[in-house]
Amino acid sequence: MAAALRGLGLLRARLGLPPAAPATPAGLARAAHRAPDLRAGGGGGGGAAAASRPAAGRSYGSQAKEEEELRVRYLDDEHKGIVVLGLNRSHAKNALSKNLVKMMSKAVDALKSDKKVRTVIFRSEVPGIFCAGADLKERAKMHSSEVSSFVSRARATINELANLPVPTIAAIDGTALGGGLELALACDIRVAASSAKMGLVETKLAIIPGAGGTQRLPRTIGVSLAKELIFSARVVDGEEAKSIGLISHVVEQNEAGDAAYKRALALAKEFLPQGPVAMRVAKLAINQGMEVDLVTGLAIEEACYAQTIPTKDRIEGLLAFKEKRPPRYKGE
């Protein structure tokens, strides 16, 4: 019962509902009907997101200057609704610096309140590297108290990425080590080139993964194997990563060095025709349900299902099915 109550509390916090609520599935369903934030893309702040969005129709180059460490691109035409976050610290192998983490936090904050965003792809703009982890050169200059603060900020930012209400895909076309792999683990789906290298290598430096790796890796590949990889600081390639369930798809690298990104883009395109509200609520139901017992998980599913009943998208979906045409969802 205690676990169930904790699970229901998590759901209420995610839906932005007040603490007191009935603990029955029926009560959850009624409460879910009163939670408009999910259908509105997660609450207020849409103006800030719109202000940060590049003007539609511009080329990639006109949206991002060379010195930008994180490039944010809103795709158009057949890919409208897909947002690409590109790591761009070539001089430091995309290592996570204080500035890069700050930029990531700002971008994620804008995305979570933008209901026009349907899928987010995290990739690298630097050939051969996804993210080498924390910027150790910068860290060496920090006071011990600064290190703790930085790790906390990085962990919080990666958690925010994990909690984005829309599907997220990590396109790993190069090396993803330490914090770089932790970043990818926070995404819903991981796609990698067969030549990519991945590992949580922190024990080599006499530390442990500090941005979610000790928790997300076991949940992804199992406890025993996760311990083995962390204890040994082993690095695996794309083929082995696929065989152990660390990634969902592995592709042969192409001459341009963006094979994983292209596969991620094709996957994201598959998500676009689906009901936006249903996608957001499905992710919430899965994420919250995986952290509790089955009985509580089923109650969470019922409450989340209730979120889709009164939407205009559901009416449109049923009408489109009846008329044998593609639905025209508006995320309402």
Side-chain angles (χ1 to χ4, degrees):
M1 176 61 72
L5 291 175
R6 285 195 298 273
L8 298 183
L10 286 173
L11 174 65
R12 298 194 63 76
R14 290 291 295 150
L15 293 180
L17 299 175
T24 64
L28 270 173
R30 288 194 299 272
H33 276 290
R34 298 194 298 269
D37 285 353
L38 208 58
R39 295 192 296 273
S52 66
R53 179 184 299 172
R58 293 182 182 176
S59 67
Y60 197 133
S62 66
Q63 294 178 13
K65 297 179 181 178
E66 288 300 320
E67 67 267 24
E68 288 179 340
E69 295 186 345
L70 180 69
R71 295 180 172 183
V72 181
R73 179 165 59 131
Y74 287 73
L75 305 189
D76 291 319
D77 302 324
E78 62 178 335
H79 297 120
K80 188 174 182 180
I82 300 173
V83 178
V84 180
L85 301 181
L87 299 172
N88 188 45
R89 293 192 77 214
S90 58
H91 63 285
K93 297 183 179 180
N94 287 341
L96 299 174
S97 64
K98 289 190 291 185
N99 183 59
L100 180 55
V101 169
K102 181 179 179 180
M103 294 181 72
M104 287 169 50
S105 178
K106 183 178 180 181
V108 170
D109 189 58
L111 291 172
K112 70 183 180 183
S113 57
D114 188 346
K115 68 178 182 179
K116 294 183 180 179
V117 176
R118 304 288 296 279
T119 301
V120 175
I121 298 176
F122 227 109
R123 66 168 303 193
S124 169
E125 300 293 327
V126 182
I129 189 77
F130 179 75
C131 176
D135 190 332
L136 298 182
K137 291 183 179 179
E138 181 183 71
R139 180 176 293 189
K141 300 176 183 178
M142 295 181 188
H143 187 272
S144 58
S145 62
E146 289 183 284
V147 173
S148 178
S149 177
F150 168 74
V151 173
S152 294
R153 179 69 183 273
R155 182 187 302 115
T157 298
I158 289 176
N159 284 342
E160 284 299 308
L161 170 63
N163 289 326
L164 275 174
V166 297
T168 55
I169 307 173
I172 309 171
D173 275 306
T175 302
L177 301 177
L181 182 54
E182 289 178 300
L183 180 63
L185 282 167
C187 293
D188 299 314
I189 301 166
R190 286 161 296 285
V191 179
S194 56
S195 58
K197 304 295 183 183
M198 290 157 271
L200 295 179
V201 297
E202 286 85 350
T203 52
K204 285 186 176 181
L205 300 174
I207 58 175
I208 69 170
T214 64
Q215 303 305 305
R216 292 194 175 95
L217 187 63
R219 284 168 167 78
T220 302
I221 66 174
V223 174
S224 182
L225 189 52
K227 287 178 177 178
E228 180 180 330
L229 293 185
I230 291 174
F231 294 166
S232 65
R234 186 183 306 156
V235 175
V236 300
D237 63 17
E239 295 291 350
E240 185 174 358
K242 176 64 169 65
S243 70
I244 64 176
L246 179 55
I247 61 174
S248 301
H249 303 274
V250 60
V251 292
E252 289 297 322
Q253 190 55 279
N254 56 28
E255 292 184 7
D258 64 353
Y261 169 66
K262 287 188 174 179
R263 181 68 183 91
L265 190 62
L267 189 59
K269 190 176 177 181
E270 289 185 45
F271 301 160
L272 293 179
Q274 319 314 327
V277 174
M279 296 289 280
R280 291 170 180 263
V281 179
K283 178 171 178 175
L284 176 61
I286 294 168
N287 284 358
Q288 294 297 321
M290 288 299 294
E291 302 302 322
V292 297
D293 62 273
L294 179 59
V295 172
T296 306
L298 291 173
I300 290 173
E301 180 185 76
E302 182 175 356
C304 288
Y305 183 85
Q307 281 280 305
T308 66
I309 298 301
T311 65
K312 293 180 180 179
D313 277 355
R314 182 174 183 271
I315 297 172
E316 165 61 16
L318 293 174
L319 184 61
F321 178 79
K322 180 180 179 180
E323 297 176 353
K324 298 181 180 181
R325 61 170 175 79
R328 295 183 287 269
Y329 294 125
K330 296 182 180 180
E332 299 175 347

